[in-house]
Amino acid sequence: MAVKGSWYERDSRFIAAHHQPALLLDLALARELDSHRLLRGSGLFHEDILSGQARISPQQFLQLIDNARRLLDADDSSFLFGQRLLPGHYGAASQALQQAGNLHQALTLLVHLRALLSPLLAPRLVLDEQHVHVVWLDACGCGEQRRFMLEASMTALASCSRWLAGERLPWQFEFAHEQPRYIEQYWVHLGEDVAFARQVDMMSLPREYLARPWAGASLTARQVAEHQSLAQLEALGFSAGLLDRLYAHLRTHIREAPNLDSVAQAFAMSPATLKRKLGKHGSHFQEQLDLVRKHVALYLYRVKGYSNDEVAAYLQFHDSTNFRRSFKRWTGFSPSALRQLLG
Amino acid sequence: MPPLLKFHAWKLAGLLLLANLGLLAHLIAGNIKPTSEWDWTDIFGEGGSTLLVLLWIGLLLKSRPAGRVTSLLFCGLACLFFSLWMDSIDEFVQLPAGVNWDKWLESGPMPVGFILVTLGIYHWHREQLAISAQMEKRERLFREHRLFDKLTPLGAADYLRLQVQQALQQSRAEGQPLSLVILDLNDFDRLNREHGHAEGDSVLQSLTQLLLLNLRRQDLLCRLAGDRFVALLPSTGAQQAQQIASELQDAVRHLAYRSQRNGERLHLVAAVASVLAQDEDGDSLLKRLNLALARAKQTPAAKRA
């Protein structure tokens, strides 16, 4: 089923209902919930999922998550969902991930096949000299379900990498949101190394774990499965969400002072259309631009050890007062206060 | 068929039959009053009470398992309902002067009903005491059903937090030590992946029973999250807590858990840690407890296990 355009949007129906959404249904059924109540408002019936043919949009999936959250009414729902998510039973993409020979291969696959493995939140791989970071980005306007999906996605990757590696990997977790009441769920499912109010949603690991070989992987099986998965993406016509694509574009062109007009042109649409599409995803252009500039600034501070002036210059601010004011708008802190806070 | 009708069909049918017979007797013997003679205050008062008692009967049957106490309460409420029902019909039907069986129908069942309800409530109280005894080690001093765990019959993290807060105050006031023990299964994640999450849930339920058996009467067991349990031990020093922790660990190791699917033995190994409460609040105590567990899991012996 081909969808036009090189990205998916909130209402693109491409998520196989018997893949990630079915896991949520299983979780609800294990807690003896009624499947009709779970599927209410999602435009989906239990029979559709069982048929293995139904495709749903991110929007429908988010509705399902909202229902599940309210019906399950438990603090561990997102974590239990996450434990089941990866490698999952999503056909070739899951097989490829399961046959990864080491963490680096697994993470690369996860990023390349994110439309199939993690359609709502996009993982982004950042390597520096000491660490590997996985930054989780909103791919299609998760809104209220963002925290649920962050908890689920990070649990999924931590649990999957632990299983495939055969040992617990010392992931460190950072979340942009404040510490929730149910902190013990983070301790049990993610570990003690969890920090909140950190501006980014990211998990990090020392680089040495990247290349450690994992037992039981088959090179040929992985290559075949990866090939099949890429063919699936080819048939879909996209491999990432609109917000994800926009983030990557802005990140590449951040030093050229991108604006709505130039970006709309790059995406081959009118500024009004881009504006409308971003509105549909619960965002607007300035918000996306500020997000990218915030991430770039934090990267330069934390990884490259840049000074305030160097970061301001990199982001094309010619006036340091102006930079400080903008930075405060992005993060709620002045540059020096935030650097102190993040250590 | 809804469960209410399935289990209580005879009770409800009997009540319906009696209520109808009473109505028929009135209609045969008397005449319907013209609207002008209706006394609206009485109609609202008596009719409203009748409906409320009917609602009580519905709630009672819906919320309680069938049994002796339920039957007593039902019979009592049924008598009250019948009395009030006759009283209400009185407002609409005028009986001739010579008839006085209606007074018996109105006032006879009322005292019987009150006696039966009283007996029912008394036995309900006895039943509640028995249930509370069963809840021992799973709740202390106060109950809040909204804080119960959804999987195991234990209180969840929020209930534990409240209890820890209270126990800290109590231990300070009485000058008694307070200790906490934490227990977490090793490789529970792998068990879930290899045997399925339903099996994992069943392990947690069995583990709950095992841990309860190995605790003292005054202790409280809660499920913190996932496969992590916390026992609150009032009037217990550090050394004794450590002893209890290692006994719990041994109990888990020796549990011959059989999988649900094919009865295969699954070996369970748990990591434990204990802390003695210092001068601190509940949140930092729980945080310290979890860090102690993380350290215990990192020791070489725990990794081998």
Side-chain angles (χ1 to χ4, degrees):
Chain A
M1 188 178 64
V3 179
K4 285 194 180 94
S6 59
W7 60 81
Y8 58 85
E9 296 179 15
R10 232 180 120 76
D11 46 10
S12 318
R13 294 176 82 125
F14 73 98
I15 304 171
H18 61 291
H19 288 172
Q20 291 91 346
L23 294 174
L24 205 54
L25 187 70
D26 286 348
L27 185 61
L29 292 179
R31 292 290 177 273
E32 292 171 1
L33 289 180
D34 180 24
S35 65
H36 292 289
R37 288 175 68 199
L38 180 75
L39 298 172
R40 186 174 296 164
S42 69
L44 202 65
F45 295 97
H46 199 174
E47 295 74 40
D48 298 341
I49 298 182
L50 293 178
S51 77
Q53 301 298 320
R55 298 285 180 275
I56 67 172
S57 66
Q59 192 166 354
Q60 287 173 297
F61 190 11
L62 288 165
Q63 175 67 52
L64 211 59
I65 292 172
D66 189 42
N67 291 356
R69 257 180 55 199
R70 276 184 294 102
L71 291 174
L72 287 166
D73 184 30
D75 298 330
D76 58 1
S77 311
S78 54
F79 300 94
L80 295 180
F81 179 48
Q83 283 177 348
R84 293 158 162 81
L85 270 178
L86 289 178
H89 305 283
Y90 321 136
S94 293
Q95 283 164 21
L97 190 58
Q98 196 153 1
Q99 297 300 334
N102 59 34
L103 181 64
H104 201 172
Q105 284 176 7
L107 293 177
T108 312
L109 279 169
L110 182 65
V111 171
H112 283 162
L113 306 178
R114 59 191 185 275
L116 301 171
L117 293 170
S118 177
L120 296 185
L121 285 188
R124 191 185 137 80
L125 200 57
V126 180
L127 289 168
D128 66 35
E129 274 158 28
Q130 272 113 42
H131 291 94
V132 48
H133 309 279
V134 179
V135 182
W136 293 91
L137 298 165
D138 192 346
C140 37
C142 289
E144 269 182 48
Q145 319 311 333
R146 187 187 162 87
R147 192 164 85 181
F148 183 96
M149 276 317 298
L150 280 169
E151 290 164 353
S153 305
M154 294 216 207
T155 304
L157 180 52
S159 166
C160 172
S161 59
R162 177 186 187 173
W163 185 53
L164 294 175
E167 61 171 335
R168 195 185 178 107
L169 306 181
W171 287 105
Q172 290 177 306
F173 300 88
E174 292 178 63
F175 292 91
H177 55 258
E178 296 288 325
Q179 177 172 323
R181 180 185 47 74
Y182 49 91
I183 174 72
E184 62 281 344
Q185 300 291 344
Y186 284 79
W187 292 338
V188 170
H189 295 105
L190 297 177
E192 277 66 27
D193 225 332
V194 191
F196 298 92
R198 301 282 288 186
Q199 306 290 338
V200 284
D201 299 298
M202 178 168 95
M203 49 204 283
S204 315
L205 196 67
R207 264 192 92 132
E208 70 209 55
Y209 287 94
L210 273 183
R212 282 192 190 180
W214 287 354
S218 153
L219 177 68
T220 314
R222 192 194 81 233
Q223 282 173 337
V224 170
E226 187 177 355
H227 192 73
Q228 286 172 348
S229 313
L230 291 173
Q232 265 178 44
L233 290 179
E234 186 82 14
L236 280 174
F238 50 68
S239 59
L242 174 64
L243 295 183
D244 185 1
R245 280 265 183 276
L246 177 63
Y247 182 95
H249 177 82
L250 290 173
R251 181 114 200 181
T252 315
H253 300 277
I254 198 69
R255 303 201 63 191
E256 299 152 26
N259 58 41
L260 184 67
D261 290 342
S262 70
V263 171
Q265 201 175 10
F267 277 71
M269 60 177 81
S270 71
T273 306
L274 180 58
K275 230 167 143 169
R276 187 173 50 75
K277 282 189 188 295
L278 289 177
K280 192 170 77 183
H281 291 76
S283 184
H284 50 86
F285 184 75
Q286 191 64 41
E287 189 178 71
Q288 293 299 314
L289 181 61
D290 285 353
L291 176 77
V292 174
R293 291 199 288 190
K294 175 168 90 171
H295 282 182
V296 170
L298 288 170
Y299 175 76
L300 295 175
Y301 281 131
R302 293 179 61 178
V303 175
K304 298 278 176 188
Y306 276 25
S307 71
N308 282 353
D309 287 344
E310 285 168 318
V311 174
Y314 186 93
L315 289 174
Q316 311 290 316
F317 281 90
H318 302 297
D319 170 6
S320 66
T321 327
N322 200 1
F323 170 67
R324 266 202 296 278
R325 197 180 310 126
S326 295
F327 192 86
K328 186 137 193 203
R329 193 182 72 229
W330 308 337
T331 65
F333 293 93
S334 71
S336 47
L338 190 73
R339 288 170 77 178
Q340 211 161 21
L341 194 78
L342 298 181
Chain B
M1 206 190 311
L4 184 65
L5 291 180
K6 197 154 73 189
F7 291 115
H8 304 290
W10 286 109
K11 288 196 188 82
L12 290 170
L15 185 60
L16 194 71
L17 186 70
L18 284 176
N20 271 310
L21 285 178
L23 179 64
L24 273 176
H26 273 79
L27 289 176
I28 291 167
N31 300 310
I32 295 180
K33 287 184 189 175
T35 330
S36 54
E37 281 180 40
W38 287 9
D39 182 345
W40 287 100
T41 346
D42 278 4
I43 289 174
F44 274 117
E46 286 157 11
S49 311
T50 315
L51 288 179
L52 279 180
V53 173
L54 197 62
L55 179 70
W56 294 355
I57 292 177
L59 287 175
L60 175 85
L61 293 183
K62 215 168 151 45
S63 61
R64 285 192 47 93
R68 196 167 51 100
V69 178
T70 309
S71 297
L72 271 174
L73 287 170
F74 171 79
C75 291
L77 287 176
C79 288
L80 294 185
F81 169 78
F82 187 78
S83 242
L84 287 163
W85 171 241
M86 291 295 101
D87 215 7
S88 308
I89 288 174
D90 231 15
E91 299 303 321
F92 304 100
V93 179
Q94 181 72 57
L95 289 174
V99 173
N100 55 9
W101 49 260
D102 65 312
K103 296 281 170 292
W104 280 104
L105 286 186
E106 261 179 54
S107 311
M110 185 73 89
V112 181
F114 273 116
I115 291 170
L116 287 176
V117 168
T118 312
L119 271 175
I121 290 181
Y122 173 74
H123 285 287
W124 188 4
H125 160 74
R126 306 283 306 191
E127 175 194 87
Q128 198 53 51
L129 288 180
I131 291 176
S132 297
Q134 287 212 338
M135 290 294 286
E136 200 173 66
K137 300 183 207 174
R138 292 187 262 154
E139 77 178 8
R140 290 180 80 232
L141 307 172
F142 69 88
R143 173 171 300 172
E144 176 49 73
H145 68 274
R146 284 171 301 179
L147 302 181
F148 285 172
D149 187 47
K150 299 256 186 322
L151 180 66
T152 62
L154 298 177
D158 286 330
Y159 185 72
L160 176 69
R161 262 191 284 272
L162 287 171
Q163 289 282 3
V164 166
Q165 213 67 40
Q166 225 170 49
L168 276 171
Q169 282 168 11
Q170 201 183 354
S171 89
R172 245 168 255 149
E174 293 170 3
Q176 288 280 342
L178 169 73
S179 290
L180 263 63
V181 163
I182 191 163
L183 182 141
D184 182 294
L185 283 183
N186 294 350
D187 279 334
F188 185 62
D189 204 39
R190 182 151 49 153
L191 190 147
N192 273 327
R193 283 192 186 270
E194 287 171 5
H195 299 272
H197 284 83
E199 193 69 58
D201 288 352
S202 154
V203 165
L204 293 180
Q205 284 161 346
S206 304
L207 198 63
T208 300
Q209 302 303 332
L210 177 77
L211 296 176
L212 285 172
L213 279 173
N214 283 278
L215 287 170
R216 302 164 304 179
R217 287 194 61 181
Q218 69 268 33
D219 302 334
L220 169 77
L221 184 68
C222 289
R223 175 162 168 247
L224 187 71
D227 55 333
R228 199 169 289 190
F229 295 82
V230 170
L232 185 126
L233 315 173
S235 313
T236 307
Q239 212 170 7
Q240 204 184 351
Q242 222 158 29
Q243 171 89 30
I244 290 176
S246 74
E247 280 167 10
L248 290 178
Q249 192 175 28
D250 286 345
V252 173
R253 198 185 358 247
H254 293 132
L255 172 68
Y257 177 84
R258 306 273 167 197
S259 77
Q260 290 186 312
R261 200 182 309 159
N262 49 16
E264 167 198 8
R265 162 100 193 253
L266 302 184
H267 284 272
L268 304 176
V269 179
V272 292
S274 62
V275 295
L276 178 70
Q278 315 277 348
D279 196 12
E280 61 197 327
D281 64 9
D283 284 344
S284 61
L285 177 60
L286 284 177
K287 174 137 208 189
R288 206 154 59 79
L289 183 68
N290 277 282
L291 286 176
L293 178 73
R295 270 198 304 279
K297 285 199 141 190
Q298 272 157 13
T299 58
K303 277 194 177 159
R304 268 203 313 278

